[in-house]
């Protein structure tokens, strides 16, 4: 009864404490105030499954996230009357060439819409044609597609558009043998591109159009990110990589998987010591989203677990500056509010397998959001390794952490000889906040609870002699020990006597046999 009484009191204290924390620390949600971001509505006629257009909506969403805007995605069929008036910018994506549009709530709202419009598709609307002075040309030929330093050879074109209207901005070139047409056309609040296809040059080309159409002026940079790092990764390799990159003057980011339990085990201590060393070698730490399968559904469990891991890092002087996660987390109520709430900066990786808890059609926006790409993706559109200017958005060249020495050697060689100049993530302003700690960066320095940190660290060995399960104090432990020893002695004497009787019986039987 007394134990139950104590349990009830303990639960009551925890409940009250949780209520107080929720009231006194509502600012754990770090995704910046919604009013500080532009809102964009994407309306599409088809997802283009089974065609070359499949995945282009996802590519567009990732591009927009890198420009720090809130995005809502709706099909024309599911559009709710009156919704358009809530958005300052509209992107129409038409993937179906055979789509026959009938009067609908969307068309009714579109006629009176006064916001900015970007149209993606083969047949732009009359209002856009007039505003941009578009002239159609059916070519049905193969062309070379170029923008900035990038070139994609031999893409097939259908209808293309050009314009002679003064003051119009052109983006890229679709080059035929006898003519050249722009890929993108923009005039003020109106813009047009004929297509976007995932993982092709059009995805990058669209970013040049988006930056101007969204009226964003900030400078952009390249960053180097390593992900898929766990406590059971080869931490010796991670330390060696940190040393090599530090000596080469290459700043880098590690996106590390969180640990939610057993944080006092030696494996966790070694993990922490390695991350401290990485931080001392001009590396930046991000918290990577946990596997969805490991997340329980009870209450605010994910929120508590993420907060615990951040606080464990902070206690050791490690300052995570953001989160690395697949994009679908930003389109999920549960993940955005419970898992991402502590951060105002993210690196969004391409979705590999979307497993939602509470899917929604609008995204969470962040003050800093890096566009993650594979270096080989851009490399195939470059003719040489000459240095190039950053893309229109902050871009993270993302690598899975290596598995062995040979992979590390090849990676380090390619980075030392790279045409990319990487920026130090700490030079940006990033904030992470829990109920106990405020972490961040200012002008290249790490800050923990208002104090600028020195980042020096050395190799620290963690003893393997560890008692993984704490022994509880046992009643009558001494008595049971004596009793066990007594029974062992008795059993041993019994075995000796039994052996003696066995020998005597054998001899008696042998004598009887001879007689």
């Amino acid at each position: 009864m007394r134990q139950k009484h104590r349990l009830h009191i303990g639960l009551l204290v925890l409940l009250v404490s949780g209520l107080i924390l929720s009231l006194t620390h509502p600012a754990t949600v770090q995704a910046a105030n919604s009013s500080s971001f532009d809102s964009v509505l994407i309306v599409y006629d088809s997802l283009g499954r089974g065609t070359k257009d499949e995945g282009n909506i996802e590519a567009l969403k990732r591009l927009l996230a890198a420009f720090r805007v809130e995005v809502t995605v709706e099909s024309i069929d599911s559009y709710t009357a009156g919704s358009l008036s809530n958005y300052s910018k509209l992107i129409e994506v038409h993937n179906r060439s055979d789509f026959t549009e009938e009067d609908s709530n969307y068309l009714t709202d579109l006629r009176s819409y006064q916001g900015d419009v970007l149209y993606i598709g083969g047949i732009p609307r009359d209002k856009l044609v007039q505003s941009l002075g578009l002239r159609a040309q059916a070519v049905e030929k193969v062309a070379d597609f170029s923008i900035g330093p990038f070139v994609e050879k031999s893409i097939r074109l259908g209808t293309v558009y050009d314009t002679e209207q003064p003051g119009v901005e052109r983006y890229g070139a679709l080059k035929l043998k006898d003519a050249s047409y722009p890929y993108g056309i923009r005039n003020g609040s109106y813009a047009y591109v004929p297509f976007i296809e995932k993982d092709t040059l059009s995805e990058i080309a669209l970013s040049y159009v988006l930056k101007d159409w969204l009226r964003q002026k900030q400078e952009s940079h390249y960053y180097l990110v390593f992900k898929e790092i766990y406590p059971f990764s080869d931490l010796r390799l991670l330390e060696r990589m940190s040393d090599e990159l530090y000596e080469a003057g290459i700043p880098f980011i590690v996106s590390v998987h969180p640990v939610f339990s057993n944080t006092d085990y030696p494996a966790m201590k070694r993990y922490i010591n390695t991350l401290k060393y990485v931080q001392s070698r001009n590396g930046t730490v991000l918290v990577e989203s946990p596997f969805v399968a490991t997340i329980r559904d009870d209450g605010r469990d994910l929120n508590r677990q993420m907060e615990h891991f951040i606080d464990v890092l902070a206690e050791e002087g490690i300052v995570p500056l953001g989160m690395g996660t697949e994009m679908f987390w930003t389109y999920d109520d549960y993940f955005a509010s419970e898992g991402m709430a502590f951060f105002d900066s993210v690196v969004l990786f391409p979705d590999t397998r979307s497993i939602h808890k509470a899917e929604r059609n609008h995204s969470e926006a962040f003050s800093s959001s890096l566009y993650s790409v594979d270096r080989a993706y851009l490399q195939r559109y470059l003719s040489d390794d000459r240095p190039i200017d950053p893309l229109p958005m902050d871009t993270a060249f993302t690598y899975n952490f290596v598995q062995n020495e040979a992979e590390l050697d090849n990676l380090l060689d390619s980075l030392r000889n790279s045409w990319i100049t990487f920026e130090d993530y700490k030079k940006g302003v990033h904030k992470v906040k829990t109920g106990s700690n405020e972490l961040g960066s200012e002008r290249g320095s790490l800050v923990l609870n208002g104090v600028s940190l020195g980042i020096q660290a050395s190799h620290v060995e963690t003893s393997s002699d560890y008692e993984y399960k704490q022994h509880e104090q046992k009643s009558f432990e001494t008595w049971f020990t004596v009793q066990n020893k007594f029974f062992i002695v008795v059993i041993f004497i019994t075995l000796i006597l039994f052996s003696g009787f066995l020998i005597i019986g054998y001899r008696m039987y042998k004598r009887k046999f001879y007689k």
Side-chain angles (χ1 to χ4, degrees):
M1 290 295 292
R2 182 177 297 175
Q3 288 181 345
K4 289 184 178 180
H5 182 64
R6 289 176 178 173
L7 179 60
H8 291 159
I9 292 176
L11 290 174
L12 181 60
V13 170
L14 286 174
L15 181 61
V16 173
S17 300
L19 180 61
I20 292 173
L21 283 174
S22 67
L23 293 174
T24 56
H25 296 284
T28 34
V29 177
Q30 288 299 305
N33 193 330
S34 298
S35 61
S36 64
F37 298 112
D38 285 333
S39 56
V40 176
L41 175 65
I42 299 175
V43 177
Y44 62 90
D45 60 358
S46 167
L47 293 175
R49 291 193 174 96
T51 72
K52 60 182 179 59
D53 296 319
E54 183 174 1
N56 65 0
I57 300 296
E58 295 301 309
L60 177 58
K61 287 159 61 177
R62 278 209 312 128
L63 284 171
L64 289 169
F67 288 110
R68 298 175 288 278
V69 296
E70 290 182 332
V71 180
T72 301
V73 185
E74 291 191 25
S75 69
I76 291 178
D77 294 335
S78 65
Y79 174 82
T80 303
S83 298
L84 198 51
S85 61
N86 299 322
Y87 302 92
S88 59
K89 299 181 183 298
L90 167 67
I91 300 178
E92 283 195 82
V93 182
H94 285 263
N95 289 327
R96 289 182 56 183
S97 58
D98 62 342
F99 183 73
T100 302
E101 198 164 30
E102 301 176 352
D103 281 339
S104 62
N105 292 328
Y106 172 68
L107 278 181
T108 301
D109 290 349
L110 184 62
R111 294 186 186 102
S112 59
Y113 181 66
Q114 299 299 315
D116 300 352
V117 177
L118 166 61
Y119 188 97
I120 302 173
I123 306 175
R125 298 188 184 278
D126 292 342
K127 185 176 181 179
L128 199 71
V129 170
Q130 296 170 7
S131 299
L132 298 176
L134 298 179
R135 295 183 292 108
Q137 178 69 45
V139 291
E140 296 294 339
K141 294 181 179 179
V142 173
D144 290 341
F145 180 16
S146 66
I147 189 163
F150 305 106
V151 178
E152 183 178 6
K153 298 287 188 179
S154 303
I155 68 167
R156 182 161 294 279
L157 298 178
T159 302
V160 294
Y161 287 83
D162 202 349
T163 179
E164 295 181 354
Q165 184 170 302
V168 170
E169 185 79 16
R170 294 174 175 82
Y171 300 84
L174 302 168
K175 298 178 181 179
L176 305 170
K177 289 184 178 180
D178 54 353
S180 179
Y181 299 90
Y183 166 72
I185 300 171
R186 184 187 66 88
N187 187 6
S189 60
Y190 293 96
Y192 170 74
V193 298
F195 58 89
I196 173 179
E197 297 174 16
K198 183 181 179 181
D199 295 333
T200 68
L201 183 55
S202 63
E203 186 173 335
I204 297 301
L206 181 58
S207 69
Y208 290 85
V209 181
L210 283 173
K211 183 169 185 177
D212 291 343
W213 182 70
L214 292 168
R215 300 181 181 88
Q216 298 204 3
K217 304 297 184 183
Q218 71 276 359
E219 292 184 4
S220 54
H221 306 90
Y222 290 123
Y223 298 89
L224 176 61
V225 177
F226 297 95
K227 64 185 184 74
E228 300 300 325
I229 297 173
Y230 309 85
F232 49 81
S233 297
D234 191 331
L235 301 181
R236 180 185 55 83
L237 277 183
L238 183 56
E239 290 187 352
R240 185 197 153 198
M241 184 186 76
S242 303
D243 286 334
E244 299 272 2
L245 292 176
Y246 180 75
E247 294 298 328
I250 301 175
F252 62 101
I253 300 168
V254 292
S255 181
V256 302
H257 275 275
V259 177
F260 293 149
S261 60
N262 302 325
T263 52
D264 57 344
Y265 279 19
M268 181 61 178
K269 296 297 183 184
R270 286 189 286 271
Y271 195 38
I272 289 291
N273 289 334
T274 299
L275 296 183
K276 289 173 69 174
Y277 188 76
V278 167
Q279 185 173 269
S280 76
R281 309 306 277 172
N282 206 27
T284 296
V285 175
L286 303 181
V287 178
E288 191 159 330
S289 58
F291 293 114
V292 173
T294 67
I295 299 172
R296 298 197 297 267
D297 293 322
D298 50 331
R300 296 172 60 87
D301 192 67
L302 176 61
N303 186 279
R304 290 193 301 269
Q305 289 176 328
M306 292 291 287
E307 182 173 39
H308 172 66
F309 181 68
I310 295 169
D311 287 339
V312 167
L313 296 181
E315 288 171 8
E316 298 290 341
I318 300 170
V319 181
L321 295 183
M323 185 176 189
T325 184
E326 294 183 21
M327 186 185 64
F328 79 88
W329 273 55
T330 67
Y331 284 85
D332 191 289
D333 267 325
Y334 181 79
F335 295 140
S337 62
E338 302 299 307
M340 308 183 75
F342 308 98
F343 311 96
D344 74 345
S345 301
V346 295
V347 179
L348 295 181
F349 308 130
D351 291 342
T352 54
R353 184 186 178 194
S354 301
I355 305 176
H356 287 276
K357 295 276 187 183
E359 186 175 5
R360 64 191 188 188
N361 68 341
H362 62 277
S363 69
E364 196 77 40
F366 294 83
S367 297
S368 172
S369 179
L370 304 190
Y371 179 77
S372 173
V373 297
D374 185 337
R375 179 182 172 186
Y377 163 55
L378 288 187
Q379 192 72 47
R380 68 175 180 256
Y381 301 123
L382 292 171
S383 57
D384 53 46
D385 283 343
R386 68 186 187 277
I388 62 171
D389 292 332
L391 297 177
M393 61 286 188
D394 284 336
T395 304
F397 283 83
T398 304
Y399 297 84
N400 287 343
F401 183 57
V402 296
Q403 300 296 313
N404 53 57
E405 295 276 359
E407 286 185 23
L408 180 58
D409 290 336
N410 291 334
L411 175 61
L412 291 171
D413 287 341
S414 68
L415 290 173
R416 291 190 192 99
N417 300 320
S418 174
W419 43 267
I420 308 165
T421 300
F422 295 109
E423 185 67 26
D424 187 351
Y425 195 70
K426 295 187 293 295
K427 290 183 178 179
V429 178
H430 309 282
K431 296 179 181 179
V432 179
K433 186 174 182 180
T434 69
S436 305
N437 294 286
E438 293 187 19
L439 311 92
S441 63
E442 295 178 2
R443 297 183 295 275
S445 297
L446 297 175
V447 179
L448 174 59
N449 296 324
V451 178
S452 182
L453 295 182
I455 57 174
Q456 296 304 313
S458 58
H459 293 269
V460 179
E461 296 295 334
T462 303
S463 174
S464 59
D465 296 331
Y466 182 81
E467 192 173 288
Y468 277 87
K469 185 173 182 180
Q470 186 176 4
H471 291 297
E472 298 177 1
Q473 188 174 2
K474 302 174 181 65
S475 302
F476 303 108
E477 184 174 14
T478 303
W479 165 247
F480 285 126
T481 302
V482 172
Q483 190 181 56
N484 289 339
K485 290 180 179 179
F486 172 76
F487 282 125
I488 290 173
V489 172
V490 170
I491 292 171
F492 183 71
I493 293 172
T494 302
L495 288 174
I496 292 175
L497 291 174
F498 179 76
S499 299
F501 287 136
L502 188 63
I503 293 171
I504 293 171
Y506 172 74
R507 288 178 177 177
M508 292 176 66
Y509 180 78
K510 188 176 180 181
R511 288 173 187 164
K512 183 178 180 181
F513 177 77
Y514 284 138
K515 289 179 180 180

